[in-house]
Amino acid sequence: MAAMRIRPFACFIAFLIFISNGAFGDDRILIAGSTTVKPVVDLGISLFKKLHPEVDAVVGAGGSGPGIQLVGTRAVSIGMVSRPLEAQEREQFPDLVTYTIGLDGVAIVANDANPVRKLSTQQIQDIYTGKITNWKEVGGSNREVVLITLNHRHGTSEVFANYFGLEAKESGVGINLKATFRKEGEAEYSSANAKVIEDHRQVLAQIITTPNAIGYVSIGQALQVIQSGAHLRLLRLDDVEPTVANVQSGVYRFSRPLMLVTKGEAQGSVRELINFFSGPEGQAIVTQLNYIPVAAKQ
């Protein structure tokens, strides 16, 4: 049967339908959440099943927020999360336990044809709040800046907003879904619209085909695409290169944890799976996908 490419949220909805219909038995490990963590888990599951053929694990997507809600309500065994848990989430589900399996930086990304090489935190704030609308204002060509953002379900979008002190509001539906931003504490949202994209790969595809676009994505996922020959540029942020080494050392601070989350301490096969990702085989997968293994932080 040929594989189908399904948008992450559609995959997530189908996953919930399967759960509600009881399509999965109690002997299966159900996992859902962050699309950033998902490639690590997908590859890890394929190796874990070779070691434990009796274990059947099913992986959905949906974003960090839904992943937390699903594991908090016991709809899944493990939530995948690519940001710190929020205070209200910890209050709602006080027995959640997090297991950090890696670290990932987030990069500001532009087309390789764009002459701009770096931006400051202030410039990013001004670009996304519509105070800067043309690349010539930051040393680039006379081109209108095209804003791209991830949808609000993504842990990456929350990390982006928190890091730059921004708040976002979405409007529209489907391909017309847009977001506007304001700085925290300001009363009015900007009139500048950002195109809302479903996942990192789609953000990168949009920037490849739109020379004057700007967006933000996982450094790990961006490097995977750049290594395949894509015309992309990771911009220096406050004059610091967004490299794995700089994230690892803490010099590049625009980063977030990659975590697995359970309701209460993990037990049985779930515990074995989490141990696998924390062990040498799992950490090798983290490294292979251009993320930073946990051991490298110590």
Side-chain angles (χ1 to χ4, degrees), residues 200-215:
H200 295 261
R201 294 293 176 130
Q202 291 178 12
V203 169
L204 294 170
Q206 189 75 35
I207 292 174
I208 290 169
T209 57
T210 310
N212 51 329
I214 186 172

Side-chain angles (χ1 to χ4, degrees), residues 97-111:
V97 179
T98 61
Y99 307 87
T100 300
I101 62 171
L103 186 71
D104 182 35
V106 182
I108 303 299
V109 186
N111 189 286

Side-chain angles (χ1 to χ4, degrees), residues 106-119 124 127-128 135 138 140-141 143-148 200 203-218 222 225-226 229-237 242 252:
V106 182
I108 303 299
V109 186
N111 189 286
D112 193 41
N114 191 325
V116 172
R117 300 291 190 272
K118 63 181 180 178
L119 291 169
I124 294 296
I127 286 171
Y128 272 85
W135 282 107
V138 290
S141 304
R143 286 175 172 265
E144 180 185 359
V145 178
V146 174
L147 301 177
I148 297 174
H200 295 261
V203 169
L204 294 170
Q206 189 75 35
I207 292 174
I208 290 169
T209 57
T210 310
N212 51 329
I214 186 172
Y216 56 91
V217 296
S218 152
V225 174
I226 290 172
H231 298 293
L232 295 166
R233 183 188 309 283
L234 305 188
L235 302 184
R236 297 199 300 275
L237 179 60
Y252 187 85

